[in-house]
Amino acid sequence: MAPNDDRSMFSLFASLLSVAAFLLAAIGIVVVVNKDEGGATTAKAPPVPVTISEFKIAPASISVGIGGSLLVTNGGSQVHNLEIVGGPKTRDLAPGASQELDLSSLAPGTYDVLCNIPGHADAGMKGTLTVSAGAAAATTDTAAAGGHGGHSAADWAKLDQQMIDSANGYVNAILESAAAGGGMTTNGVPGLRAVPTEGVGNQKLEPEILPDGTKRFNLTAAITQWQVEPERTVEAWTYNGMVPSPWIRVEPGDRVQVVLKNDLPVNTDIHFHGITTPFPSDGVSPITQPPIKPGETYTYTFTAPDRPELGMYHPHNHGQVAVVNGMFGMFQVGDLPLPRGRTINGVTVPANLQIAQEIPMVLNDAGVIGLSLNGKGFPATDPIVSKVGDWHLVHYQNEGLQIHPMHLHHMPQLVVAKDGFPLEQPYWVDTLNVAPGERYSVLVQSRPEDLNVEYQPGQPAAAQYGIWAYHCHILTHAESDAGLHGMVTAWIVTP
């Protein structure tokens, strides 16, 4: 055969190998050949599939052979990772991302596994890994392998009952609270409690009035116990021991002092997000001020702007830890102007509009607090209680790491301000997307048709509640296999 023929045959052979490799890959066959010390060849076991999501690891008991690996996939809507305690870990995986985790460094034995993002293991993301001396064990788990959300036909009745129980338990607790005389308090916190937990956030902080009229607000930053849900108490990072932090209100032109004592284990500061302050009070250490060291006290002094503003306050130093773990609160300068007397899409806002309740709605999704409304997760989220005809002003503030489309059933929301700036053209929505750092203010009216008088037949009028769902519409932020959870509450209309 001529040299050119040899080259042609080699090219043809190489092409056939390429085609064969492509076909094997296309049908999902991957063969990894290893040689043992005696020269024999063995096929390496494929990685064991594991799914991480809110808030579980599936399967919770993982088995692999020595030298095996895991194919870890984030099937949730938040960033997660998988760590073998004392061994390797994945990178932080975005939703939908996967990573093969090599376990060849692990000796036979049993290891704890978890998501090491703060709060996720406490919320249920933990399990065990067994490394055996034999071949990698096949792990069958429909949640890891995909399918109908990881559920078999036998699961559905159980899941149905858990959803029914979670919803009915919340509603029944509200009715029991009403029967016991629950009602609205003067600071806008509902007296009706679905499932009471220790601690209430957003409490208005009364200032000390100095001789020159300056309003002084005293805050202490510390790590304290905070009950997020009935069965979950965490070490939260707080101002004055509450989540959200105290609600601070001043009037346009007020002279203001905010005195912060740092009882945290790290340096801190306060940034007044969305509030006009002079450079030395912007709260970005070490640029605008020295860091406030543990045990130190620092005073912010400024004059409030001469116009209404609505912002938040939180640390800038170590914010990725401190903020999501609970250090966030509302800072308000005066009252936002509202579109009184205006007709918007056929609905007229009364010229003599009176606000029955002004309600902060602080959103979070990370840290030890996790998926929450005003520092609580369902079923500890307090409902909003409204009388027929009342108008309410809700201030959304997103202190989390993700966008949250907030959806109120049946009652439209009139968006009147964005980031504290009144809108020249207010608009109606039923779902409002709130990104991290954003604030939106909305008006909601409880109309006569919002009262569901047939909800409790045979009960007195005082028990006839219209109970409307109010939740984040990223569905895994509001529902789980155990039923409703996280960012869910209710808007209750009473006679």
Side-chain angles (χ1 to χ4, degrees):
M1 182 177 291
N4 285 342
D5 292 336
D6 289 342
R7 286 195 295 270
S8 297
M9 288 300 293
F10 179 81
S11 298
L12 177 61
F13 182 64
S15 298
L16 290 172
L17 283 178
S18 298
V19 171
F22 173 79
L23 290 174
L24 286 173
I27 61 176
I29 299 176
V30 178
V31 178
V32 179
V33 177
N34 294 328
K35 285 191 176 182
D36 62 22
E37 293 179 357
T41 59
T42 59
K44 181 181 177 181
V48 173
V50 176
T51 297
I52 51 180
S53 61
E54 296 83 291
F55 284 99
K56 63 183 178 181
I57 297 172
S61 298
I62 308 164
S63 297
V64 301
I66 190 168
S69 64
L70 305 178
L71 180 60
V72 182
T73 301
N74 184 353
S77 60
Q78 303 185 41
V79 172
H80 299 297
N81 59 43
L82 186 73
E83 177 182 355
I84 315 300
V85 178
K89 67 178 283 291
T90 69
R91 67 181 184 275
D92 288 350
L93 298 174
S98 297
Q99 179 184 340
E100 185 171 350
L101 186 62
D102 182 11
L103 305 180
S104 60
S105 63
L106 298 180
T110 300
Y111 301 82
D112 291 327
V113 299
L114 51 81
C115 175
N116 72 5
I117 293 176
H120 288 198
D122 290 339
M125 296 190 70
K126 50 191 174 183
T128 59
L129 167 71
T130 300
V131 179
S132 59
T139 300
T140 57
D141 185 272
T142 53
H148 297 284
H151 304 121
S152 67
D155 290 333
W156 295 117
K158 177 182 177 182
L159 297 179
D160 281 344
Q161 193 59 50
Q162 288 176 158
M163 184 63 72
I164 291 169
D165 291 345
S166 66
N168 281 346
Y170 189 77
V171 171
N172 289 337
I174 290 170
L175 296 177
E176 289 173 6
S177 178
M184 291 177 288
T185 60
T186 56
N187 65 351
V189 177
L192 289 183
R193 308 294 301 276
V195 179
T197 50
E198 292 295 324
V200 177
N202 286 326
Q203 299 297 291
K204 287 187 176 178
L205 182 60
E206 293 301 321
E208 174 188 356
I209 307 299
L210 303 184
D212 66 353
T214 297
K215 293 179 178 178
R216 175 185 288 171
F217 298 89
N218 294 296
L219 296 173
T220 299
I223 297 176
T224 57
Q225 296 291 305
W226 182 256
Q227 191 175 12
V228 180
E229 297 163 5
E231 304 300 326
R232 186 160 69 93
T233 298
V234 301
E235 289 191 339
W237 294 48
T238 68
Y239 292 115
N240 292 9
M242 69 178 69
V243 182
S245 306
W247 177 355
I248 296 177
R249 177 186 171 120
V250 298
E251 302 306 319
D254 278 350
R255 292 187 296 274
V256 179
Q257 283 188 4
V258 178
V259 182
L260 175 62
K261 183 178 186 299
N262 183 12
D263 283 344
L264 296 170
V266 296
N267 295 344
T268 193
D269 52 22
I270 298 179
H271 170 57
F272 301 94
H273 180 111
I275 301 298
T276 304
T277 62
F279 184 81
S281 290
D282 192 43
V284 184
S285 63
I287 298 173
T288 65
Q289 66 172 86
I292 309 170
K293 298 177 181 179
E296 290 185 346
T297 298
Y298 187 89
T299 300
Y300 296 87
T301 301
F302 57 92
T303 299
D306 59 3
R307 63 185 183 279
E309 290 186 339
L310 187 68
M312 309 181 288
Y313 66 98
H314 50 226
H316 215 273
N317 193 298
H318 298 296
Q320 87 287 358
V321 176
V323 177
V324 295
N325 283 321
M327 294 182 76
F328 45 75
M330 188 164 88
F331 197 102
Q332 180 177 12
V333 180
D335 292 312
L336 291 175
L338 301 175
R340 290 178 167 86
R342 292 181 57 181
T343 299
I344 302 157
N345 289 93
V347 178
T348 300
V349 179
N352 61 345
L353 174 69
Q354 298 295 315
I355 300 300
Q357 289 187 81
E358 189 170 15
I359 304 164
M361 182 65 76
V362 187
L363 316 176
N364 191 22
D365 49 55
V368 297
I369 307 299
L371 296 167
S372 58
L373 303 174
N374 288 335
K376 301 288 184 178
F378 184 93
T381 50
D382 286 334
I384 294 170
V385 183
S386 174
K387 294 181 180 178
V388 169
D390 280 353
W391 288 81
H392 301 262
L393 181 60
V394 179
H395 300 298
Y396 293 112
Q397 302 189 336
N398 189 344
E399 289 281 20
L401 304 180
Q402 302 181 56
I403 287 174
H404 296 291
M406 296 304 297
H407 177 52
L408 174 57
H409 286 208
H410 188 66
M411 286 175 280
Q413 308 173 64
L414 180 62
V415 184
V416 296
K418 166 73 169 71
D419 293 337
F421 297 101
L423 299 181
E424 292 185 2
Q425 299 295 328
Y427 59 95
W428 293 97
V429 298
D430 62 44
T431 304
L432 182 64
N433 217 26
V434 188
E438 287 188 329
R439 288 95 61 215
Y440 282 94
S441 298
V442 301
L443 283 173
V444 179
Q445 185 191 25
S446 299
R447 302 162 301 182
E449 60 267 30
D450 299 324
L451 190 63
N452 183 359
V453 296
E454 296 180 355
Y455 185 76
Q456 288 287 320
Q459 296 295 317
Q464 305 304 324
Y465 290 92
I467 301 179
W468 299 101
Y470 192 11
H471 59 96
C472 173
H473 215 286
I474 295 177
L475 298 181
T476 53
H477 293 183
E479 298 185 15
S480 70
D481 285 355
L484 299 175
H485 83 130
M487 305 180 76
V488 184
T489 185
W491 192 294
I492 303 175
V493 183
T494 68

